Amino acid sequence: MPGKFINLGDVKDYDTAIKETGYGRFHYEILAVSAMSILCMGFQNGLSSYVFPAAQCDLSFTSFELGIINMAFMIGGVASCFLWGALADNLGRRKILVVTHLLDAIITLVCSLLPTTANLLVCRFLNGFLIGGPGSIIFTYVAEFQPPKLRTPVVCGCGIFFTLSWLLLPLLAYFILPLQGVTWDLGGVIFFSPWRLFLVILAVPELLTALWILKMPESPKFLLAKGSHAKSLLILRKIYALNSGREQDSFPVKNLIADAKPTPGSSKVVCQSKTMRVLKVMKEQMRSLFQPPLLLVTALTCAVMFANMFGMFGLGLWLPEIFVRFDQFEKLHPNATPSITELSGIVQVKNASCETTFDASVTFNTVVISSSSLVFNLVCSILAMKLHFKVIPLITMLMGGATSVSIYFLTSSLQNLVVASLFQASMITANITIGSIAVELFPTKVVGLALCFIMCAGRFGAMASSFLFGYFMDSQCEIPIFVVGVVVLLGGLLCFLVPRKAKGHTTARSLSLTSGIEVATLSGYDVKFR
């Protein structure tokens, strides 16, 4: 069908088009479904702290085996970190989110029925493998529906729900795990107990999330980047209609144009099978991340995330242990002032009665820490609307490093609670906003894969820090505390080097002197610039 000619003034780039859709019903729904996804992701990351200590009674595994099960989840996340981002950049964000949430919920349900430690080990590896999909993609998915000025605040605000999941988990555990009436013998093979019920309950919202995302559209920014201009424009028109209540035909944007610079290698594999095309494009995408001009951004964001998760999943997971040791020291020496070096010699003795108990003070402290993180995330979300996208992670990383070092000088459990609240709040906020840096600086076609590289670097940091604390906690716990402080502070300083603007993004205005560039309208006609 012959093409028709349009003026440059009729062509809008994606950022202009998404602003024209307004902000209303659709955006509230995309925020809600993203919040559910992030809650499920947080549940999977934190459930080991509550479920498997309770499962030790049923399965009779040792503390060493418990540690291995916890590590299996992290290893699963590392194993899949490149896969999901690459697939999302080639097959779509929505499709990967639906599949990973659905399979992860099924694995969690299966995990609740398995009778052996070895089976749990495999399930937790698979949980980590699958939940890495939403962990790497969901922030990209929600950000690509937002107008430019709201992307960083929205991503930062979504982090509230990750923190909220860590608030809900101990509350759910407090009410469900001590239940004595939830015990059924299933055929003499499985003894269904409260911790198994807890897993079933956590799987339900994930199933609902998968079904909810299934009815949501694919990211129009992704479709535009893949060359599906007409589909992208159609989705934007539907968003406009839902937000404004008007007819789709009244959407003011009639034509879309994508970034002029294609992903390397994207045009070299047209005649090959779909599988080979995806594999070759993935290879080219990985190569582009480690070549100029993206090399510096890749290195910086990976280093910052390594430092962040080195602190958040290292010291962050040991702060409750330090708190308990402060309490124990104060009970043993009521008139003495403890120091970190003296706490190294205090080792908890596990309850041998195999009864699930929850100290009310521990639950209270967890709620205080999580609540402070929620408030901090909310404040940062508001500030992010007025600040450059790299300012929040810079400040929070420096704050996290300073509070980490200050732990060495603590002299009471109350001081530890205050510092723990500040540390966790700053680290969680930084973790979320580092992802917003990637969304701003990486091209759409590789941002999913870039986030996976960044999360992989972070998970290696978490594993290294966990090993460091496990090795020194009972002998010289001041060593890992200072190491965390230095690493997190260095990560904060690296934020100064993050570029202020993304390079290579081209708008219709910048193409005003370019001829022969094809775009598409909703009608499907080939349209060329004159």
Side-chain angles (χ1 to χ4, degrees), residues 457-471:
R459 289 181 181 119
F460 275 116
M463 294 170 65
S465 186
S466 296
F467 174 81
L468 188 68
F469 270 90
Y471 189 82

Side-chain angles (χ1 to χ4, degrees), residues 292-354:
L294 297 180
L295 176 60
L296 176 62
V297 179
T298 302
L300 282 175
T301 50
C302 285
V304 174
M305 185 62 85
F306 177 94
N308 174 266
M309 293 183 70
F310 189 90
M312 187 171 75
F313 285 99
L315 176 57
L317 293 180
W318 283 95
L319 281 173
E321 171 71 11
I322 296 175
F323 189 86
V324 170
R325 294 191 183 197
F326 265 115
D327 279 347
Q328 291 179 341
F329 186 93
E330 290 173 349
K331 290 177 182 177
L332 293 173
H333 311 283
N335 297 321
T337 301
S339 66
I340 288 295
T341 54
E342 291 174 311
L343 296 182
S344 296
I346 300 178
V347 182
Q348 289 192 77
V349 179
K350 288 188 176 294
N351 185 359
S353 65
C354 210

Side-chain angles (χ1 to χ4, degrees), residues 109-327:
L109 289 173
V110 171
C111 184
S112 69
L113 300 175
L114 294 177
T116 68
T117 303
N119 291 334
L120 284 180
L121 185 68
V122 174
C123 277
R124 286 307 287 165
F125 172 83
L126 293 176
N127 281 140
F129 188 90
L130 291 167
I131 204 64
S136 301
I137 299 168
I138 188 61
F139 293 105
T140 303
Y141 182 68
V142 67
E144 288 179 346
F145 284 100
Q146 310 302 318
K149 288 186 177 181
L150 291 180
R151 282 175 192 154
T152 298
V154 165
V155 170
C156 185
C158 285
I160 293 174
F161 296 97
F162 186 85
T163 308
L164 181 62
S165 68
W166 284 19
L167 172 61
L168 294 176
L169 269 176
L171 293 176
L172 288 172
Y174 183 82
F175 289 107
I176 295 174
L177 293 182
L179 293 176
Q180 300 299 321
V182 187
T183 54
W184 302 294
D185 189 351
L186 304 180
V189 178
I190 301 173
F191 186 70
F192 197 84
S193 51
W195 71 268
R196 297 182 186 274
L197 174 64
F198 192 61
L199 286 176
V200 172
I201 291 174
L202 293 183
V204 172
E206 192 153 23
L207 284 171
L208 297 176
T209 300
L211 296 175
W212 196 354
I213 296 176
L214 189 61
K215 69 178 285 288
M216 302 302 292
E218 179 57 86
S219 163
K221 189 173 185 180
F222 164 79
L223 292 173
L224 184 62
K226 298 298 287 185
S228 299
H229 297 66
K231 290 181 180 179
S232 178
L233 187 57
L234 180 60
I235 292 174
L236 290 171
R237 291 178 62 166
K238 290 181 178 179
I239 294 173
Y240 169 79
L242 286 172
N243 286 342
S244 66
R246 301 172 184 170
E247 294 295 328
Q248 295 184 25
D249 292 340
S250 63
F251 185 48
V253 178
K254 306 302 180 183
N255 307 285
L256 282 175
I257 189 168
D259 292 344
K261 191 174 182 179
T263 302
S266 59
S267 60
K268 300 179 181 179
V269 291
V270 176
C271 298
Q272 298 173 346
S273 67
K274 184 176 180 179
T275 302
M276 290 303 298
R277 289 202 305 271
V278 170
L279 291 176
K280 284 203 170 186
V281 171
M282 286 170 59
K283 177 182 176 182
E284 292 299 328
Q285 288 173 327
M286 290 185 183
R287 183 181 299 174
S288 70
L289 291 177
F290 294 95
Q291 292 178 343
L294 297 180
L295 176 60
L296 176 62
V297 179
T298 302
L300 282 175
T301 50
C302 285
V304 174
M305 185 62 85
F306 177 94
N308 174 266
M309 293 183 70
F310 189 90
M312 187 171 75
F313 285 99
L315 176 57
L317 293 180
W318 283 95
L319 281 173
E321 171 71 11
I322 296 175
F323 189 86
V324 170
R325 294 191 183 197
F326 265 115
D327 279 347

Side-chain angles (χ1 to χ4, degrees), residues 26 28 63 103 155 193 215 269 289 307 352 386 441 444 457 501:
F26 173 82
Y28 301 144
S63 295
L103 291 179
V155 170
S193 51
K215 69 178 285 288
V269 291
L289 291 177
K386 300 181 179 181
L441 296 184
T444 305
K501 292 183 180 180

Side-chain angles (χ1 to χ4, degrees), residues 82-94:
F82 304 123
L83 174 66
W84 300 125
L87 290 178
D89 285 335
N90 288 279
L91 303 179
R93 285 79 160 103
R94 171 179 164 272

